Amino acid sequence: MMEKVGGLKARIEETKRRLGEKLLILAHHYQRDEIVELADFRGDSLELSRRAAESDARWIVFCGVHFMAETAAILVRPAQRVLIPREDAGCFLAHSVDPVQLRDAWKQLSQVLDVERELLPVAYVNTSAAVKAFVGARGGACCTSSSARQVLAWALERSPRVFFLPDQYLGRNTARSLGIPEEEIVLWDPHHPPADLSRYRQARVILWRGACNVHVRFLPQDVDRVRREHPGAQVVVHPECRPEVVARADEVGSTSYIIRTVQNSPSGSSWAVGTEQRLVARLAAENPDKTVFSLGDPPPYCAYMSLTRLADLAEVLAGLPLGEERGLVEVPEEVRAGAASALNRMWEAIGAGG
Ligand code: 13P
Ligand code: SF4
């Protein structure tokens, strides 16, 4: 018979007490409520990677998706261990680019550009360690949704062209916010590269054609419907949303930015929120004096973020006192070093040090 929720929670709490400061449980805002409640810290991608990098814990259990745990594993010291309760928790964006495709794109673009001198790659943190390493080896940087603007500005100061990957929408939204003209933002479709590559000579920002299949579900018509049906409601969206949605919204920002924006708004405010539904539902529950609802109809969930259940967390924790590291995330040293350099350039770009 499946163990009851109360029993699982009690077991997790007991292991947390037993391991004390040796254990740090991190949870992304899209995780299930029962996981977020048991975590030592919840945050957006940038905050979570910072917490991991600053932690002295022996074990960091990362409740989120694989690229987040892998990023933590790149940033921690050698004696520290990062574990993920569900190794199959992927990310649609991270799956939309691999090093082979990227190498291929780089080679094709080298027909019209001096890629080593005039093309700097910027990888959204929603990528594998191998993709980050490719970027790091070419002087490029990583970014998260909350650091994208500073990182893209940093990259454009250093190079006439930037290859932003893999989220075309985050890339376009960020490039627009920096005032890059539309004709200088050019899409790169890894599955159908154009025969004539000359247009990339005019580009300032080249966008990999990837998108998050959760955020892509929000449409401009959803914003129009909210404006019609909920006059007075404000719209806050994640920058992975389509540019037509972002252009109609009142506010745009990372998951933590969305939370702060709603929390800091006056009592009685109404918010339509364009991001993953577990966060939206929690935000509504935590702000009973406000009206908080999804911009989407129906509201989209991230299937990968939903995978982690209490039983998965309990199982990883049960192994630790026995010396078993279930769900250990390992990054080969030759990949880790390159990926770390791309992540460190992100800290440099946002003025946070490495
Ligand atoms: P944040 O960095 O805003 O938490 O976003 C992570 C993510 O995967 C959004 O879909
Ligand atoms: Fe990846 Fe989208 Fe899920 Fe975020 S919401 S983890 S980008 S699939």
Side-chain angles (χ1 to χ4, degrees):
M1 212 180 81
M2 266 185 28
E3 192 176 351
K4 294 243 171 52
V5 169
L8 289 168
K9 279 192 180 166
R11 275 212 288 141
I12 293 168
E13 301 274 23
E14 168 53 23
T15 313
K16 283 180 67 172
R17 266 193 300 277
R18 210 165 140 190
L19 295 178
E21 295 194 345
K22 285 192 198 149
L23 173 67
L24 175 71
I25 303 179
L26 298 176
H28 186 264
H29 293 304
Y30 294 164
Q31 290 286 290
R32 291 169 182 273
D33 285 345
E34 58 274 27
I35 298 285
V36 166
E37 279 159 25
L38 286 163
D40 298 302
F41 179 77
R42 59 170 116 159
D44 68 12
S45 309
L46 185 70
E47 292 162 345
L48 291 171
S49 51
R50 203 190 293 265
R51 273 296 163 122
E54 288 170 358
S55 166
D56 289 325
R58 167 101 176 87
W59 294 290
I60 297 169
V61 177
F62 208 119
C63 301
V65 290
H66 195 268
F67 77 81
M68 295 181 178
E70 201 177 48
T71 301
I74 292 163
L75 294 170
V76 297
R77 293 188 295 280
Q80 295 177 293
R81 296 280 184 271
V82 177
L83 304 109
I84 185 165
R86 288 294 298 241
E87 290 170 276
D88 52 349
C91 164
F92 294 100
L93 267 171
H95 298 166
S96 71
V97 55
D98 67 38
V100 176
Q101 289 172 308
L102 187 51
R103 220 162 259 129
D104 196 42
W106 201 254
K107 200 167 150 202
Q108 294 193 55
L109 286 168
S110 71
Q111 292 169 32
V112 284
L113 303 173
D114 181 353
V115 286
E116 300 307 328
R117 288 186 39 235
E118 52 170 338
L119 187 61
L120 195 58
V122 169
Y124 193 23
V125 75
N126 301 37
T127 45
S128 66
V131 167
K132 290 183 179 77
F134 178 97
V135 168
R138 284 154 188 85
C142 286
C143 73
T144 68
S145 63
S146 55
S147 63
R149 200 166 184 278
Q150 282 166 290
V151 174
L152 186 56
W154 172 94
L156 287 167
E157 272 169 24
R158 281 158 183 78
S159 169
R161 264 167 280 283
V162 170
F163 198 3
F164 189 97
L165 55 119
D167 187 353
Q168 58 169 312
Y169 297 140
L170 176 67
R172 189 173 296 272
N173 290 324
T174 311
R176 277 187 182 176
S177 80
L178 290 170
I180 308 290
E182 240 18 77
E183 61 278 12
E184 294 180 11
I185 309 173
V186 186
L187 209 54
W188 176 266
D189 184 340
H191 303 291
H192 304 284
D196 176 13
L197 297 170
S198 59
R199 73 173 97 152
Y200 294 100
R201 283 202 200 104
Q202 270 70 57
R204 285 220 74 202
V205 179
I206 302 173
L207 302 172
W208 190 268
R209 192 174 185 171
C212 159
N213 80 338
V214 176
H215 289 90
V216 87
R217 299 260 302 278
F218 300 107
L219 301 173
Q221 299 90 287
D222 291 322
V223 184
D224 298 343
R225 176 176 41 77
V226 165
R227 302 278 187 222
R228 248 190 347 265
E229 294 176 4
H230 304 269
Q234 295 178 80
V235 177
V236 58
V237 301
H238 195 275
E240 286 173 16
C241 289
R242 297 167 189 269
E244 308 89 293
V245 170
V246 169
R248 283 169 162 80
D250 300 296
E251 296 277 352
V252 55
S254 80
T255 52
S256 285
Y257 178 86
I258 291 172
I259 293 169
R260 281 197 304 275
T261 302
V262 173
Q263 271 169 355
N264 298 338
S265 67
S267 193
S269 327
S270 285
W271 289 95
V273 185
T275 197
E276 207 270 347
Q277 181 56 15
R278 284 187 205 282
L279 186 160
V280 181
R282 189 175 316 114
L283 205 49
E286 289 177 350
N287 290 273
D289 59 327
K290 293 157 202 168
T291 306
V292 181
F293 57 98
S294 177
L295 176 64
D297 183 18
Y301 286 87
C302 174
Y304 287 124
M305 283 283 184
S306 299
L307 285 174
T308 311
R309 292 171 181 270
L310 276 183
D312 303 306
L313 177 57
E315 194 183 328
V316 167
L317 295 189
L320 297 179
L322 310 172
E324 289 170 17
E325 294 174 331
R326 300 171 193 159
L328 181 66
V329 180
E330 288 177 289
V331 182
E333 182 48 33
E334 65 278 13
V335 176
R336 200 205 62 79
S341 68
L343 285 162
N344 286 335
R345 285 189 202 106
M346 170 174 77
W347 305 125
E348 183 194 321
I350 65 175

